[in-house]
Amino acid sequence: MPWQSPISPGYSWYEATVPDRPEYPAMPGSRKANVAIVGGGYTGLQAAWNLARQGVDVTLIDACRFGDGASGRNGGQFGTGQRAWADETEENLGHEQAQALFDMAENAKRYVLDFANTHEIDIEFVPGQLSVGHKKSLEKDYRDHAEAMATRFGYPHLSFMDREETASRLGSSHYHFGIRDAGTGHIHPMKLLVGLAKQAALAGANLFEQTKATKIERQSGTIVITTDRGTITADRVLVACNAYIGNLEPVSASHVMPIRSFIGATTVLSDHPKVIPGGESVDDSRFVVRYFRKSRDGRLLFGGREAYTADNPLDISTHIRRQISEIYPELANIEITHAWGGSVGITMPRTPFCREVMPGVTSIGGYSGHGVMLSNYCGKLYADLALGKDTELDLLKALKIPAFPGGTRFRSALLFLALSWYALRDRF
Ligand SMILES: Cc1cc2nc3c(=O)[nH]c(=O)nc-3n(C[C@H](O)[C@H](O)[C@H](O)COP(=O)(O)OP(=O)(O)OC[C@H]3O[C@@H](n4cnc5c(N)ncnc54)[C@H](O)[C@@H]3O)c2cc1C
């Protein structure tokens, strides 16, 4: 029987195609560590690898299996920059900060590709990204964005596509225009996750699955993490639970909100050579963004539907197939072989959350759907921070991230209303 993540719905095409996914033991009993990490996604495992290879005694625990959260199940798209466009950030924070945040994301992109190359992890990187517009009224914004990136942010890889070019690169006339980004691409997320965990183990990190943290508290100068397998006493702690934080740590939970997102994988599209012939990944301008691409073996991996409650829809495939057929009517009856979902951690301003939530305890997450490259890099930056170095995490710490309104009782309901309203606007 394939393993079913207890925290994310469905069995993913990534799980089905990763050659082997080693299991790690549960924590055998109480222990000590210089640094303890809660959460075995990209953020936590990158921190563990970087610390262990520099001789730090590090223990990482995950409540489930590594990659059961977002890191093993996402759309695999790198994108460019932060979630918000750099020119939008420029309007709010000024050019210097916007440029620094953009440069950080470019460093993140290089970091992930270098990491995979150095360790010969076949992450199935395919270059190219198409960002396409579903409303004609957005065309000027897209044109201005492509120009601003080249002229003000030193990023020359974007080119505006008219309707004709957009249609031929997509194999669909559903969208009005788009931007092609030749400076980024997409990957097989689970292959990166599995390769990363192996490197962390090889470097000497103590890695434990099936070990759930239930409390984090300071006790006479150290930090004690209570788990269902004993305690960890540490000098420093990284909370890397992102959207799956639950009620483990209240400051992170009030600033990072989970949104469910779902993906379906079709059968191989051998009879449809016109669908994304250049192999780029695609994201669209909807608030409930649709993101899709072809896998190396020629399937369409299509993400779209969102849910603002923890309930899982009974039938992910039907909804995904409906969205596919709006863009590719010829695929209206395509078989969906795998359908799955996971929780994206968002913040109010859609910029990552990084904060010392109690002395010695840092929490990082809330990449707002843009975490494939950023979470890996933030894990590395956390290791640098723990080793006393200056890091670009200071840029994130300086960002003003408000808590979601409504307190723990009403937050989800308010978010549901607000996001449903924006989702409705996608239709008009
Ligand atoms: C469906 C989907 C599509 C996405 N698509 C994209 C995309 O195309 N591009 C992009 O850039 N980003 C995308 N993302 C976002 C991206 O995947 C995340 O930003 C990134 O993986 C976050 O990594 P992380 O390590 O911070 O968190 P996660 O990978 O979510 O890991 C958190 C871990 O913490 C563990 N945990 C939680 N609580 C506890 C506890 N109490 N004790 C122990 N362990 C605990 C969980 O078990 C989990 O393994 C997508 C996300 C989803 C869900």
Side-chain angles (χ1 to χ4, degrees):
M1 275 290 282
W3 165 254
Q4 172 61 57
S5 165
I7 52 171
S8 307
Y11 176 65
S12 77
W13 177 80
Y14 305 131
E15 291 168 286
T17 52
V18 74
D20 78 313
R21 186 183 175 196
E23 290 191 43
Y24 295 83
M27 196 168 77
S30 296
R31 55 190 296 123
K32 290 187 173 164
N34 293 142
V35 180
I37 299 170
V38 185
Y42 297 140
T43 307
L45 286 165
Q46 280 287 356
W49 174 65
N50 277 283
L51 286 164
R53 74 197 182 100
Q54 295 182 79
V56 177
D57 174 21
V58 56
T59 289
L60 179 149
I61 57 168
D62 196 287
C64 309
R65 288 183 67 189
F66 303 147
D68 275 354
S71 297
R73 314 172 67 82
N74 57 70
Q77 306 198 7
F78 274 8
T80 285
Q82 306 280 339
R83 176 73 175 88
W85 282 351
D87 36 331
E88 284 170 355
T89 309
E90 187 181 32
E91 278 174 29
N92 298 326
L93 302 177
H95 182 78
E96 200 179 324
Q97 221 172 333
Q99 180 81 59
L101 287 164
F102 180 78
D103 292 345
M104 175 189 183
E106 281 298 284
N107 291 340
K109 204 187 269 177
R110 274 188 293 274
Y111 173 78
V112 178
L113 293 178
D114 286 352
F115 174 79
N117 280 338
T118 306
H119 300 289
E120 298 180 349
I121 305 169
D122 175 18
I123 58 172
E124 301 190 7
F125 178 76
V126 177
Q129 168 89 23
L130 310 174
S131 296
V132 292
H134 78 296
K135 279 184 187 172
K136 231 181 160 338
S137 58
L138 297 172
E139 180 171 334
K140 183 172 180 319
D141 293 350
Y142 273 60
R143 279 187 188 278
D144 291 352
H145 173 58
E147 197 190 320
M149 293 314 297
T151 55
R152 296 208 298 281
F153 289 91
Y155 188 76
H157 306 294
L158 301 187
S159 51
F160 184 82
M161 304 186 296
D162 62 14
R163 187 163 197 145
E164 203 183 332
E165 181 179 354
T166 304
S168 79
R169 287 195 185 277
L170 276 185
S172 161
S173 52
H174 181 75
Y175 291 98
H176 297 281
F177 56 84
I179 288 174
R180 179 159 170 258
D181 185 345
T184 190
H186 54 98
I187 63 163
H188 187 305
M190 187 57 110
K191 287 194 176 175
L192 174 60
L193 189 285
V194 167
L196 168 59
K198 283 184 188 167
Q199 289 306 317
L202 280 173
N206 301 293
L207 304 182
F208 302 111
E209 295 184 328
Q210 313 290 359
T211 305
K212 181 173 183 167
T214 51
K215 198 180 346 166
I216 304 174
E217 60 192 337
R218 278 196 76 83
Q219 280 180 17
S220 39
T222 57
I223 303 151
V224 178
I225 303 175
T226 305
T227 81
D228 52 1
R229 310 273 180 172
T231 57
I232 311 171
T233 307
D235 304 322
R236 300 182 75 113
V237 169
L238 170 63
V239 177
C241 301
N242 200 20
Y244 296 87
I245 184 77
N247 52 17
L248 175 64
E249 196 289 302
V251 180
S252 318
S254 60
H255 290 79
V256 177
M257 182 72 88
I259 288 186
R260 282 284 207 219
S261 183
F262 301 95
I263 303 179
T266 69
T267 47
V268 175
L269 300 182
S270 27
D271 298 334
H272 302 279
K274 283 190 182 157
V275 175
I276 326 178
E280 300 93 338
S281 49
V282 185
D283 68 322
D284 80 4
S285 52
R286 286 180 172 85
F287 179 78
V288 181
V289 61
R290 296 181 186 182
Y291 50 98
F292 47 101
R293 63 195 179 104
K294 283 200 302 197
S295 59
R296 189 152 73 180
D297 67 353
R299 294 156 193 273
L300 188 64
L301 307 181
F302 192 99
R305 178 189 184 155
E306 283 182 354
Y308 310 130
T309 67
D311 302 338
N312 293 317
L314 291 176
D315 182 3
I316 301 171
S317 299
T318 303
H319 199 99
I320 293 285
R321 194 183 297 104
R322 197 176 310 133
Q323 292 190 339
I324 292 176
S325 67
E326 282 174 31
I327 300 166
Y328 298 108
E330 69 275 25
L331 301 183
N333 297 315
I334 191 84
E335 185 189 343
I336 294 195
T337 58
H338 301 78
W340 66 97
S343 294
V344 182
I346 62 161
T347 63
M348 289 271 281
R350 303 287 196 273
T351 41
F353 172 78
C354 174
R355 191 172 294 180
E356 188 162 23
V357 291
M358 68 176 89
V361 180
T362 301
S363 176
I364 311 179
Y367 308 101
S368 303
H370 217 66
V372 170
M373 56 177 183
L374 287 171
S375 59
N376 278 276
Y377 192 53
C378 284
K380 176 248 186 300
L381 294 180
Y382 173 78
D384 289 347
L385 178 80
L387 290 162
K389 298 179 193 162
D390 288 337
T391 81
E392 289 163 297
L393 281 184
D394 288 341
L395 283 171
L396 301 185
K397 283 187 188 162
L399 295 170
K400 291 194 175 59
I401 311 272
F404 280 91
T408 42
R409 277 186 70 196
F410 299 112
R411 202 167 55 220
S412 296
L414 285 177
L415 185 79
F416 177 82
L417 285 176
L419 295 182
S420 301
W421 161 246
Y422 281 113
L424 196 66
R425 291 197 338 178
D426 279 342
R427 302 192 193 165
F428 305 105

